[in-house]
Amino acid sequence: MTPRASTALGSLFDLVPECLVLRGRDGRILTWNAAAERLYGRPRAEVAGLAGHEVFAGDPAWDPALLDPTGEWRGEVTRTAADGSPRTIRLHWQLVDGGLEILEIGHDITLARAAEEALRKSEHRYRNLFQAMAASFWELDFYPVGEMLYRLRKTGAITDWPAHFAAHPEFVREMMRATRVIDVNDQTVALFGRGDKQALLTSVEPFWPEASSPVFAASVVAAVTGAQNYATETRLRTIDGVEFPALFTACFPPDTMNKGTLLIGVIDLTERVAAQEALARMQTEMAHASRVALLGELSASIAHEVNQPLGAIAANGAAGMRWLSREEPDLGEVRALTERIISDAQRAAEIVKRVRTLASGVPPERLPVSLNAIIRDAATFLQHEIRDAGVSFATRLSPDSPVVQADRVQLQQVVVILALNALQAMSGAGSARPALTIRTATEGDEARLEVEDNGPGIPEEARARIFDSFFTTKPGGMGLGLAIAQSILRDCGGSIGVETAQGAGARFVVRLPLCENGSPTHTKV
Ligand code: ADP
């Protein structure tokens, strides 16, 4: 080592984390520091005086002419580390000591490069995924909305974001206008933009129908309250203004949120919704067909119900005629009889109206209805069957008058199905003292309806299947009653189950969510 080099490379240089190599103008290595010893795995005494290519086989041929006019050169080389692994070294050469020697500063950038590469690959993978997914994806710049919300928060006036958004729909639209579309995938272009990607790279506002604004607001609330994601069904709009049902999902991963970017996924539900609508139509039609069939089964009751007032009308009419044919007609008596005729005619008309509603195929309408009133209505239809079957019938109706959200006619249908099944089971088994009890009760936030008989019960092997369509144990049975009852109840958020033991009767239990503050369409009973 020259005296100069040894002064230049004092112990201070060993503290530098970069690999420092002092080289002559001919490229020969004069010495290097501790970091270079560690990386390249050779003590400085061993390399002193060696030519560059003897130590670094892969380096480009040494050429001092590489140095620029200020005496510097920068470049990257691949060198072999002590453990034999290739390392990417970023080099900086600089003339020192009045131009007699060259100081080489080397940064091992292998790890940084690998990280950059991994990032590039992951970005590439993400882009590929973004493009290849079957759903529509949007990358949005949410930063301006973040600023709007920040400014609003600073005023201190807002504590309840959902309430604020609900009260200021124009602010929600403004947030939409401030949300810029950075990128969309091909699916999005096909679904929203009639093939024109550029047309989509605006704000998100045109794609949100007015009625869906609360969903946008809810997703902003989710984003600002630290939720990880938000998903819901809503309606969105194409660039041509065509609305469609969609599953909307927004992801708020912290790293993208910090950059102000948001990822949105949209799945077109048009076909699913169409299929659901077809299914709902089919269920309504099935329920209707089953009601018509039930009416057939109830025809004796209905005829009896209508005949009674008709008979009374005829009798009262005849009596009235007699009072009129007297020498001194008793008009007071005739008035009383005529009043009875009118009320009997109204009773008959009421029965006909009920049969009509049950037979009509109008789509179900969900309104608050009194469960007790439903039982009363259904019981009128069943009276005759109950009497004919010699069954003792009791109702135990809850004094709370539970009110549920349901279609009145459909709920009546459920009660009639359960009661008729009970009557048929008891008469089929020849029960000695057949009894049918219908109860209503409230239990927490649920209404409970029970239809209980003391018939043969349901054998173990049939229990799991009675709610299946077309499962029947009756000759001529359709096996649709319980399946329809179940689907009606599910549609209004309820459920049905059975408690039974062979030979010990059956108790069908229906649960429905109680209506919170609905007023019944029926009078309370
Ligand atoms: P169906 O009355 O046409 O058979 P359902 O779906 O109403 O169709 O009933 C399915 C089956 O469930 C009946 O065939 C019967 O075996 C059983 N079941 C229903 N209710 C009772 C009951 N109360 N007691 C005993 N078995 C019953």
PDB file of all heavy atoms in Angstrom, residues 417-418 421-422 424-425 453 456-458 466 468 471-474 477-483 506 508, ligand 1:
ATOM      1  N   ILE A 417    -104.076 -24.631   5.779  1.00  0.00           N
ATOM      2  CA  ILE A 417    -103.305 -25.840   5.425  1.00  0.00           C
ATOM      3  C   ILE A 417    -102.998 -26.645   6.685  1.00  0.00           C
ATOM      4  O   ILE A 417    -103.236 -27.854   6.754  1.00  0.00           O
ATOM      5  CB  ILE A 417    -101.970 -25.444   4.719  1.00  0.00           C
ATOM      6  CG1 ILE A 417    -102.234 -24.931   3.317  1.00  0.00           C
ATOM      7  CG2 ILE A 417    -100.995 -26.622   4.696  1.00  0.00           C
ATOM      8  CD1 ILE A 417    -101.017 -24.313   2.620  1.00  0.00           C
ATOM      9  N   LEU A 418    -102.487 -25.942   7.725  1.00  0.00           N
ATOM     10  CA  LEU A 418    -102.076 -26.649   8.948  1.00  0.00           C
ATOM     11  C   LEU A 418    -103.285 -27.279   9.640  1.00  0.00           C
ATOM     12  O   LEU A 418    -103.232 -28.425  10.103  1.00  0.00           O
ATOM     13  CB  LEU A 418    -101.352 -25.694   9.899  1.00  0.00           C
ATOM     14  CG  LEU A 418    -100.043 -25.111   9.367  1.00  0.00           C
ATOM     15  CD1 LEU A 418     -99.425 -24.156  10.377  1.00  0.00           C
ATOM     16  CD2 LEU A 418     -99.045 -26.223   9.034  1.00  0.00           C
ATOM     17  N   ASN A 421    -104.658 -30.289   7.574  1.00  0.00           N
ATOM     18  CA  ASN A 421    -103.750 -31.427   7.762  1.00  0.00           C
ATOM     19  C   ASN A 421    -104.044 -32.111   9.096  1.00  0.00           C
ATOM     20  O   ASN A 421    -104.096 -33.338   9.180  1.00  0.00           O
ATOM     21  CB  ASN A 421    -102.289 -30.968   7.755  1.00  0.00           C
ATOM     22  CG  ASN A 421    -101.719 -30.934   6.350  1.00  0.00           C
ATOM     23  OD1 ASN A 421    -102.333 -31.429   5.418  1.00  0.00           O
ATOM     24  ND2 ASN A 421    -100.540 -30.346   6.200  1.00  0.00           N
ATOM     25  N   ALA A 422    -104.236 -31.282  10.135  1.00  0.00           N
ATOM     26  CA  ALA A 422    -104.492 -31.838  11.469  1.00  0.00           C
ATOM     27  C   ALA A 422    -105.808 -32.619  11.461  1.00  0.00           C
ATOM     28  O   ALA A 422    -105.876 -33.750  11.957  1.00  0.00           O
ATOM     29  CB  ALA A 422    -104.535 -30.711  12.493  1.00  0.00           C
ATOM     30  N   GLN A 424    -107.335 -33.965   8.921  1.00  0.00           N
ATOM     31  CA  GLN A 424    -107.209 -35.176   8.106  1.00  0.00           C
ATOM     32  C   GLN A 424    -106.411 -36.251   8.842  1.00  0.00           C
ATOM     33  O   GLN A 424    -106.757 -37.430   8.790  1.00  0.00           O
ATOM     34  CB  GLN A 424    -106.542 -34.847   6.764  1.00  0.00           C
ATOM     35  CG  GLN A 424    -107.481 -34.069   5.839  1.00  0.00           C
ATOM     36  CD  GLN A 424    -106.758 -33.391   4.683  1.00  0.00           C
ATOM     37  OE1 GLN A 424    -105.534 -33.426   4.604  1.00  0.00           O
ATOM     38  NE2 GLN A 424    -107.514 -32.756   3.805  1.00  0.00           N
ATOM     39  N   ALA A 425    -105.347 -35.825   9.536  1.00  0.00           N
ATOM     40  CA  ALA A 425    -104.519 -36.810  10.261  1.00  0.00           C
ATOM     41  C   ALA A 425    -105.349 -37.476  11.349  1.00  0.00           C
ATOM     42  O   ALA A 425    -105.299 -38.697  11.531  1.00  0.00           O
ATOM     43  CB  ALA A 425    -103.304 -36.124  10.864  1.00  0.00           C
ATOM     44  N   ASP A 453    -102.551 -30.773  17.242  1.00  0.00           N
ATOM     45  CA  ASP A 453    -103.589 -31.808  17.257  1.00  0.00           C
ATOM     46  C   ASP A 453    -103.127 -32.958  18.136  1.00  0.00           C
ATOM     47  O   ASP A 453    -101.962 -33.026  18.522  1.00  0.00           O
ATOM     48  CB  ASP A 453    -103.882 -32.285  15.827  1.00  0.00           C
ATOM     49  CG  ASP A 453    -102.700 -32.986  15.194  1.00  0.00           C
ATOM     50  OD1 ASP A 453    -102.285 -34.056  15.700  1.00  0.00           O
ATOM     51  OD2 ASP A 453    -102.156 -32.455  14.187  1.00  0.00           O
ATOM     52  N   PRO A 456    -102.155 -38.870  15.152  1.00  0.00           N
ATOM     53  CA  PRO A 456    -101.160 -39.939  15.179  1.00  0.00           C
ATOM     54  C   PRO A 456     -99.706 -39.443  15.263  1.00  0.00           C
ATOM     55  O   PRO A 456     -98.799 -40.242  15.481  1.00  0.00           O
ATOM     56  CB  PRO A 456    -101.384 -40.635  13.842  1.00  0.00           C
ATOM     57  CG  PRO A 456    -101.925 -39.553  12.953  1.00  0.00           C
ATOM     58  CD  PRO A 456    -102.749 -38.674  13.830  1.00  0.00           C
ATOM     59  N   GLY A 457     -99.500 -38.138  15.074  1.00  0.00           N
ATOM     60  CA  GLY A 457     -98.117 -37.645  15.053  1.00  0.00           C
ATOM     61  C   GLY A 457     -97.445 -38.004  13.725  1.00  0.00           C
ATOM     62  O   GLY A 457     -98.063 -38.596  12.836  1.00  0.00           O
ATOM     63  N   ILE A 458     -96.197 -37.639  13.611  1.00  0.00           N
ATOM     64  CA  ILE A 458     -95.492 -37.882  12.344  1.00  0.00           C
ATOM     65  C   ILE A 458     -94.356 -38.865  12.594  1.00  0.00           C
ATOM     66  O   ILE A 458     -93.512 -38.619  13.465  1.00  0.00           O
ATOM     67  CB  ILE A 458     -94.940 -36.564  11.759  1.00  0.00           C
ATOM     68  CG1 ILE A 458     -96.116 -35.604  11.533  1.00  0.00           C
ATOM     69  CG2 ILE A 458     -94.184 -36.803  10.463  1.00  0.00           C
ATOM     70  CD1 ILE A 458     -95.715 -34.182  11.334  1.00  0.00           C
ATOM     71  N   ILE A 466     -91.445 -33.908   5.362  1.00  0.00           N
ATOM     72  CA  ILE A 466     -92.810 -33.386   5.193  1.00  0.00           C
ATOM     73  C   ILE A 466     -92.855 -32.017   4.527  1.00  0.00           C
ATOM     74  O   ILE A 466     -93.851 -31.671   3.918  1.00  0.00           O
ATOM     75  CB  ILE A 466     -93.604 -33.338   6.528  1.00  0.00           C
ATOM     76  CG1 ILE A 466     -92.817 -32.593   7.581  1.00  0.00           C
ATOM     77  CG2 ILE A 466     -94.001 -34.725   6.989  1.00  0.00           C
ATOM     78  CD1 ILE A 466     -93.634 -32.308   8.836  1.00  0.00           C
ATOM     79  N   ASP A 468     -90.903 -31.162   2.094  1.00  0.00           N
ATOM     80  CA  ASP A 468     -90.492 -31.285   0.683  1.00  0.00           C
ATOM     81  C   ASP A 468     -91.731 -31.219  -0.217  1.00  0.00           C
ATOM     82  O   ASP A 468     -92.789 -31.752   0.140  1.00  0.00           O
ATOM     83  CB  ASP A 468     -89.810 -32.640   0.434  1.00  0.00           C
ATOM     84  CG  ASP A 468     -88.466 -32.710   1.135  1.00  0.00           C
ATOM     85  OD1 ASP A 468     -88.024 -31.665   1.642  1.00  0.00           O
ATOM     86  OD2 ASP A 468     -87.902 -33.815   1.186  1.00  0.00           O
ATOM     87  N   PHE A 471     -94.150 -34.490  -1.180  1.00  0.00           N
ATOM     88  CA  PHE A 471     -94.094 -35.583  -0.208  1.00  0.00           C
ATOM     89  C   PHE A 471     -95.475 -35.700   0.441  1.00  0.00           C
ATOM     90  O   PHE A 471     -95.980 -34.742   1.033  1.00  0.00           O
ATOM     91  CB  PHE A 471     -93.042 -35.344   0.875  1.00  0.00           C
ATOM     92  CG  PHE A 471     -93.103 -36.397   1.944  1.00  0.00           C
ATOM     93  CD1 PHE A 471     -92.506 -37.644   1.737  1.00  0.00           C
ATOM     94  CD2 PHE A 471     -93.830 -36.190   3.125  1.00  0.00           C
ATOM     95  CE1 PHE A 471     -92.597 -38.639   2.703  1.00  0.00           C
ATOM     96  CE2 PHE A 471     -93.921 -37.192   4.083  1.00  0.00           C
ATOM     97  CZ  PHE A 471     -93.313 -38.415   3.872  1.00  0.00           C
ATOM     98  N   THR A 472     -96.081 -36.855   0.298  1.00  0.00           N
ATOM     99  CA  THR A 472     -97.396 -37.058   0.912  1.00  0.00           C
ATOM    100  C   THR A 472     -97.533 -38.504   1.367  1.00  0.00           C
ATOM    101  O   THR A 472     -96.911 -39.392   0.794  1.00  0.00           O
ATOM    102  CB  THR A 472     -98.532 -36.700  -0.083  1.00  0.00           C
ATOM    103  OG1 THR A 472     -99.783 -36.890   0.564  1.00  0.00           O
ATOM    104  CG2 THR A 472     -98.494 -37.535  -1.340  1.00  0.00           C
ATOM    105  N   THR A 473     -98.342 -38.693   2.406  1.00  0.00           N
ATOM    106  CA  THR A 473     -98.638 -40.073   2.817  1.00  0.00           C
ATOM    107  C   THR A 473    -100.129 -40.339   2.627  1.00  0.00           C
ATOM    108  O   THR A 473    -100.640 -41.351   3.055  1.00  0.00           O
ATOM    109  CB  THR A 473     -98.279 -40.281   4.305  1.00  0.00           C
ATOM    110  OG1 THR A 473     -98.951 -39.280   5.064  1.00  0.00           O
ATOM    111  CG2 THR A 473     -96.784 -40.221   4.538  1.00  0.00           C
ATOM    112  N   LYS A 474    -100.805 -39.365   1.969  1.00  0.00           N
ATOM    113  CA  LYS A 474    -102.260 -39.508   1.804  1.00  0.00           C
ATOM    114  C   LYS A 474    -102.569 -39.987   0.404  1.00  0.00           C
ATOM    115  O   LYS A 474    -101.996 -39.458  -0.562  1.00  0.00           O
ATOM    116  CB  LYS A 474    -102.945 -38.155   2.010  1.00  0.00           C
ATOM    117  CG  LYS A 474    -102.725 -37.585   3.379  1.00  0.00           C
ATOM    118  CD  LYS A 474    -103.293 -36.180   3.457  1.00  0.00           C
ATOM    119  CE  LYS A 474    -102.708 -35.471   4.658  1.00  0.00           C
ATOM    120  NZ  LYS A 474    -102.906 -34.041   4.608  1.00  0.00           N
ATOM    121  N   GLY A 477    -103.190 -37.286  -2.051  1.00  0.00           N
ATOM    122  CA  GLY A 477    -102.578 -36.048  -1.542  1.00  0.00           C
ATOM    123  C   GLY A 477    -101.631 -35.479  -2.594  1.00  0.00           C
ATOM    124  O   GLY A 477    -101.091 -36.214  -3.423  1.00  0.00           O
ATOM    125  N   MET A 478    -101.451 -34.150  -2.555  1.00  0.00           N
ATOM    126  CA  MET A 478    -100.544 -33.507  -3.515  1.00  0.00           C
ATOM    127  C   MET A 478     -99.147 -33.345  -2.920  1.00  0.00           C
ATOM    128  O   MET A 478     -98.157 -33.225  -3.627  1.00  0.00           O
ATOM    129  CB  MET A 478    -101.064 -32.120  -3.867  1.00  0.00           C
ATOM    130  CG  MET A 478    -102.316 -32.117  -4.662  1.00  0.00           C
ATOM    131  SD  MET A 478    -101.934 -31.898  -6.385  1.00  0.00           S
ATOM    132  CE  MET A 478    -101.457 -30.181  -6.397  1.00  0.00           C
ATOM    133  N   GLY A 479     -99.095 -33.278  -1.611  1.00  0.00           N
ATOM    134  CA  GLY A 479     -97.786 -33.085  -0.956  1.00  0.00           C
ATOM    135  C   GLY A 479     -97.237 -31.683  -1.171  1.00  0.00           C
ATOM    136  O   GLY A 479     -96.024 -31.481  -1.173  1.00  0.00           O
ATOM    137  N   LEU A 480     -98.139 -30.710  -1.358  1.00  0.00           N
ATOM    138  CA  LEU A 480     -97.647 -29.338  -1.600  1.00  0.00           C
ATOM    139  C   LEU A 480     -97.952 -28.383  -0.452  1.00  0.00           C
ATOM    140  O   LEU A 480     -97.337 -27.331  -0.345  1.00  0.00           O
ATOM    141  CB  LEU A 480     -98.280 -28.783  -2.880  1.00  0.00           C
ATOM    142  CG  LEU A 480     -97.684 -29.294  -4.178  1.00  0.00           C
ATOM    143  CD1 LEU A 480     -98.448 -28.729  -5.370  1.00  0.00           C
ATOM    144  CD2 LEU A 480     -96.219 -28.916  -4.280  1.00  0.00           C
ATOM    145  N   GLY A 481     -98.907 -28.778   0.410  1.00  0.00           N
ATOM    146  CA  GLY A 481     -99.375 -27.859   1.455  1.00  0.00           C
ATOM    147  C   GLY A 481     -98.248 -27.301   2.303  1.00  0.00           C
ATOM    148  O   GLY A 481     -98.059 -26.082   2.384  1.00  0.00           O
ATOM    149  N   LEU A 482     -97.483 -28.182   2.914  1.00  0.00           N
ATOM    150  CA  LEU A 482     -96.447 -27.713   3.837  1.00  0.00           C
ATOM    151  C   LEU A 482     -95.321 -26.994   3.096  1.00  0.00           C
ATOM    152  O   LEU A 482     -94.754 -26.027   3.602  1.00  0.00           O
ATOM    153  CB  LEU A 482     -95.892 -28.874   4.663  1.00  0.00           C
ATOM    154  CG  LEU A 482     -96.878 -29.455   5.694  1.00  0.00           C
ATOM    155  CD1 LEU A 482     -96.259 -30.640   6.410  1.00  0.00           C
ATOM    156  CD2 LEU A 482     -97.294 -28.382   6.696  1.00  0.00           C
ATOM    157  N   ALA A 483     -95.002 -27.462   1.884  1.00  0.00           N
ATOM    158  CA  ALA A 483     -93.947 -26.804   1.099  1.00  0.00           C
ATOM    159  C   ALA A 483     -94.364 -25.365   0.800  1.00  0.00           C
ATOM    160  O   ALA A 483     -93.555 -24.425   0.919  1.00  0.00           O
ATOM    161  CB  ALA A 483     -93.694 -27.562  -0.192  1.00  0.00           C
ATOM    162  N   ALA A 506     -99.235 -33.777  16.803  1.00  0.00           N
ATOM    163  CA  ALA A 506     -98.247 -32.921  16.146  1.00  0.00           C
ATOM    164  C   ALA A 506     -98.556 -31.478  16.498  1.00  0.00           C
ATOM    165  O   ALA A 506     -99.723 -31.081  16.585  1.00  0.00           O
ATOM    166  CB  ALA A 506     -98.308 -33.117  14.634  1.00  0.00           C
ATOM    167  N   PHE A 508     -97.451 -27.858  14.997  1.00  0.00           N
ATOM    168  CA  PHE A 508     -96.705 -27.054  14.038  1.00  0.00           C
ATOM    169  C   PHE A 508     -96.513 -25.659  14.630  1.00  0.00           C
ATOM    170  O   PHE A 508     -97.472 -25.057  15.115  1.00  0.00           O
ATOM    171  CB  PHE A 508     -97.437 -26.992  12.693  1.00  0.00           C
ATOM    172  CG  PHE A 508     -97.233 -28.251  11.893  1.00  0.00           C
ATOM    173  CD1 PHE A 508     -98.051 -29.357  12.094  1.00  0.00           C
ATOM    174  CD2 PHE A 508     -96.208 -28.348  10.969  1.00  0.00           C
ATOM    175  CE1 PHE A 508     -97.848 -30.531  11.375  1.00  0.00           C
ATOM    176  CE2 PHE A 508     -95.993 -29.512  10.249  1.00  0.00           C
ATOM    177  CZ  PHE A 508     -96.821 -30.616  10.456  1.00  0.00           C
TER     178      PHE A 508
HETATM  179  P1  ADP B   1    -100.596 -33.338   1.692  1.00  0.00           P
HETATM  180  O1  ADP B   1    -101.536 -32.825   2.735  1.00  0.00           O
HETATM  181  O2  ADP B   1    -101.093 -33.192   0.295  1.00  0.00           O
HETATM  182  O3  ADP B   1    -100.088 -34.732   1.955  1.00  0.00           O
HETATM  183  P2  ADP B   1     -98.670 -31.609   2.946  1.00  0.00           P
HETATM  184  O4  ADP B   1     -97.396 -31.022   2.413  1.00  0.00           O
HETATM  185  O5  ADP B   1     -99.628 -30.645   3.520  1.00  0.00           O
HETATM  186  O6  ADP B   1     -99.288 -32.403   1.750  1.00  0.00           O
HETATM  187  O7  ADP B   1     -98.303 -32.682   4.045  1.00  0.00           O
HETATM  188  C1  ADP B   1     -97.271 -33.596   3.828  1.00  0.00           C
HETATM  189  C2  ADP B   1     -97.358 -34.770   4.760  1.00  0.00           C
HETATM  190  O8  ADP B   1     -97.060 -34.356   6.098  1.00  0.00           O
HETATM  191  C3  ADP B   1     -98.722 -35.390   4.881  1.00  0.00           C
HETATM  192  O9  ADP B   1     -98.978 -36.299   3.820  1.00  0.00           O
HETATM  193  C4  ADP B   1     -98.624 -36.088   6.227  1.00  0.00           C
HETATM  194  O10 ADP B   1     -97.931 -37.330   6.092  1.00  0.00           O
HETATM  195  C5  ADP B   1     -97.723 -35.189   7.029  1.00  0.00           C
HETATM  196  N1  ADP B   1     -98.490 -34.334   7.952  1.00  0.00           N
HETATM  197  C6  ADP B   1     -98.783 -33.031   7.797  1.00  0.00           C
HETATM  198  N2  ADP B   1     -99.466 -32.559   8.863  1.00  0.00           N
HETATM  199  C7  ADP B   1     -99.630 -33.595   9.717  1.00  0.00           C
HETATM  200  C8  ADP B   1    -100.248 -33.758  11.008  1.00  0.00           C
HETATM  201  N3  ADP B   1    -100.861 -32.732  11.641  1.00  0.00           N
HETATM  202  N4  ADP B   1    -100.194 -34.988  11.584  1.00  0.00           N
HETATM  203  C9  ADP B   1     -99.575 -36.005  10.979  1.00  0.00           C
HETATM  204  N5  ADP B   1     -98.961 -35.919   9.768  1.00  0.00           N
HETATM  205  C10 ADP B   1     -98.991 -34.736   9.145  1.00  0.00           C
END
